[in-house]
Amino acid sequence: MTTTNDVDQEPERTGLAALVYDSKARSLFFQGVLAVLILFMIYMAVQNAGQNLADQGKEFGFDFFDRPSDVQILTTFGTWLIGYVPGESTILDVLKLSVANTLILAVVGIFFATILGFLMGIMRLSSNFVIRSFATIYIELMRNIPLLLQIFFWNAALRLVAPGPRDSGTFVPGILQFNTKGIYGPFPVTHDGFYLTMMAVIIAIGGVIAYGKYAKKIQENTGKQSPVLLVSLGLLIGLPTLVFLITGRPLTIEWPNFVTEGPVLRRGFERGVGSYIAPEFMALFLALTTYTAAFIGEIVRAGIQAVPKGQSEAAEALGLSGGLTMRKVILPQAFRVIIPPLTSQYLNLTKNSSLAAAIGYPELVAVFAGTILNQVGRAIEIVAVVIIVYLTISLLTSFFMNWFNNRVKLVER
């Protein structure tokens, strides 16, 4: 008598049949087909665009980057970095300059918006009625007024409170002066041997990171807290200062020169002497920072409130102070809620910098996608370059924030 199994066993497949019935192989196959189709569609679109432009007697290509540029661009940080000179520099230099201005505005705005946003978010949860009310009014006011109107407001306000172009006012006594043309201050001029000081700064940063890891390991093993802040400040300040003094102080300060004599039109701050911050940059910086900080404040508040109340009660029972509880207990747990929407706000601030065109600040959209586009007439190529630049900046920002999120997220034991 023969017996049969209740469940029939499938025959073992080999070769092509194994790949056909393998779900992972089928998934990779269809993804590959989709990728090929997308690339083919992009190729056909580019070919059709090129043919249509040729039929209209227009050229298609990126050869215009080598053309000289005579565009007069407002003096900014990017101008110093790139060394842009009208008539001598090329359109590629204009692209570099506009990207540099965009990045500088975005990085500075993100840094200060984060500080202000965290401060407002914590103040929003304060038990003090005045502090809590101030933070609430600030957040509700700033995030409900369109950003473009805030840019116009700051641009007009800065020019109204500043002295005329032939006068000067004091912004920071002995350091920064200002008028309607901008803010003027000291400019560092480096000499031979200064690179050793910069190397000392890099070494000091590496030492701070290494000591931080060592202190964390000691705390995990023994519970003892090391003076991380004092040691870090000692390394960051002491080592570069020591190298700077040993190498003969290879750095001098160039101060702005205010001309009070001679023809009236030549009076005022001398151009090219000292550092200079354009009023358009300050208006954009204040608008982007205060506007984005309002949203960050709400994100921080939501992240803190997402931490169970028992965590703060347990920290209080252990005798931890309010500030230490916030730094060591609440915020590390709140970061898992804060960081994803915080990344979106960083991306929004970077993209919102394109509104600088409204007040004439020479960033990517205003200069390259505006003035240069009108000069060379290569709309498809220029818009494509602008898209790629913004996409690259956004992807790098997202990559860094994802890396940071993985570093600070809680790990189950």
Side-chain angles (χ1 to χ4, degrees), residues 309-321 324-326 329-330:
K309 189 176 181 181
Q311 296 292 315
S312 57
E313 293 175 346
E316 184 179 354
L318 291 173
L320 298 180
S321 64
L324 194 59
T325 299
M326 181 62 68
V329 179
I330 305 300

Side-chain angles (χ1 to χ4, degrees), residues 395-410:
L395 291 177
L396 290 175
T397 303
S398 299
F399 175 80
F400 172 78
M401 292 302 293
N402 290 333
W403 170 83
F404 181 70
N405 188 31
N406 291 330
R407 292 279 297 178
V408 301
K409 72 179 181 180
L410 297 177

Side-chain angles (χ1 to χ4, degrees), residues 220-256:
E220 290 176 350
N221 294 334
T222 65
K224 181 181 178 181
Q225 291 188 359
S226 303
V228 177
L229 180 60
L230 293 177
V231 173
S232 299
L233 290 176
L235 283 173
L236 291 175
I237 298 175
L239 182 59
T241 302
L242 180 62
V243 174
F244 178 76
L245 295 175
I246 292 176
T247 54
R249 301 180 181 181
L251 179 71
T252 56
I253 301 298
E254 181 183 80
W255 295 91

Side-chain angles (χ1 to χ4, degrees), residues 30-361:
F30 287 117
Q31 290 180 42
V33 171
L34 180 60
V36 171
L37 289 176
I38 293 175
L39 292 175
F40 178 74
M41 292 174 63
I42 294 175
Y43 171 77
M44 292 301 299
V46 172
Q47 287 291 103
N48 290 335
Q51 185 61 44
N52 292 334
L53 290 174
D55 294 340
Q56 299 174 20
K58 298 180 180 180
E59 298 179 352
F60 180 81
F62 296 91
D63 55 328
F64 60 88
F65 278 121
D66 294 331
R67 299 181 188 176
S69 171
D70 58 355
V71 179
Q72 299 294 326
I73 299 178
L74 177 71
T75 301
T76 58
F77 297 109
T79 308
W80 292 330
L81 290 175
I82 305 303
Y84 177 80
V85 179
E88 299 180 9
S89 300
T90 63
I91 292 179
L92 180 60
D93 295 324
V94 176
L95 174 61
K96 295 177 182 178
L97 170 62
S98 58
V99 172
N101 285 337
T102 299
L103 288 175
I104 291 171
L105 181 60
V107 171
V108 174
I110 286 173
F111 178 78
F112 285 98
T114 302
I115 296 176
L116 182 59
F118 269 78
L119 180 63
M120 288 299 161
I122 295 173
M123 290 172 60
R124 192 76 200 273
L125 299 173
S126 173
S127 58
N128 186 295
F129 175 77
V130 176
I131 294 177
R132 184 175 66 252
S133 300
F134 172 79
T136 301
I137 293 172
Y138 169 85
I139 290 174
E140 295 301 329
L141 181 66
M142 289 299 174
R143 70 175 184 168
N144 286 296
I145 298 177
L147 177 58
L148 186 59
L149 290 181
Q150 295 191 38
I151 293 175
F152 286 145
F153 167 79
W154 285 112
N155 189 48
L158 291 176
R159 296 181 185 278
L160 286 175
V161 301
R166 310 304 167 197
D167 299 316
S168 68
T170 300
F171 188 72
V172 178
I175 300 178
L176 296 179
Q177 297 173 290
F178 71 101
N179 58 21
T180 54
K181 288 191 174 183
I183 299 176
Y184 299 83
F187 182 78
V189 179
T190 61
H191 304 287
D192 294 339
F194 185 73
Y195 72 95
L196 294 174
T197 303
M198 297 306 300
M199 290 179 62
V201 172
I202 296 174
I203 294 173
I205 293 174
V208 168
I209 295 174
Y211 182 76
K213 292 181 178 180
Y214 170 77
K216 183 178 180 181
K217 185 176 180 181
I218 293 296
Q219 184 177 2
E220 290 176 350
N221 294 334
T222 65
K224 181 181 178 181
Q225 291 188 359
S226 303
V228 177
L229 180 60
L230 293 177
V231 173
S232 299
L233 290 176
L235 283 173
L236 291 175
I237 298 175
L239 182 59
T241 302
L242 180 62
V243 174
F244 178 76
L245 295 175
I246 292 176
T247 54
R249 301 180 181 181
L251 179 71
T252 56
I253 301 298
E254 181 183 80
W255 295 91
N257 180 33
F258 187 79
V259 180
T260 58
E261 300 177 351
V264 175
L265 295 180
R266 292 185 178 273
R267 295 178 185 177
F269 287 101
E270 184 179 352
R271 298 188 62 180
V273 180
S275 62
Y276 168 76
I277 302 176
E280 291 83 1
F281 176 87
M282 288 302 302
L284 287 165
F285 163 71
L286 291 172
L288 289 173
T289 299
T290 54
Y291 178 78
T292 307
F295 291 91
I296 294 177
E298 282 296 271
I299 292 171
V300 172
R301 179 185 65 84
I304 293 175
Q305 289 183 327
V307 178
K309 189 176 181 181
Q311 296 292 315
S312 57
E313 293 175 346
E316 184 179 354
L318 291 173
L320 298 180
S321 64
L324 194 59
T325 299
M326 181 62 68
R327 295 197 310 270
K328 297 293 186 179
V329 179
I330 305 300
L331 284 180
Q333 298 182 69
F335 272 138
R336 59 183 177 181
V337 178
I338 292 174
I339 290 179
L342 185 63
T343 303
S344 298
Q345 292 305 317
Y346 289 169
L347 298 178
N348 288 338
L349 188 150
T350 303
K351 291 179 288 188
N352 286 337
S353 66
S354 61
L355 294 175
I359 60 173
Y361 180 74

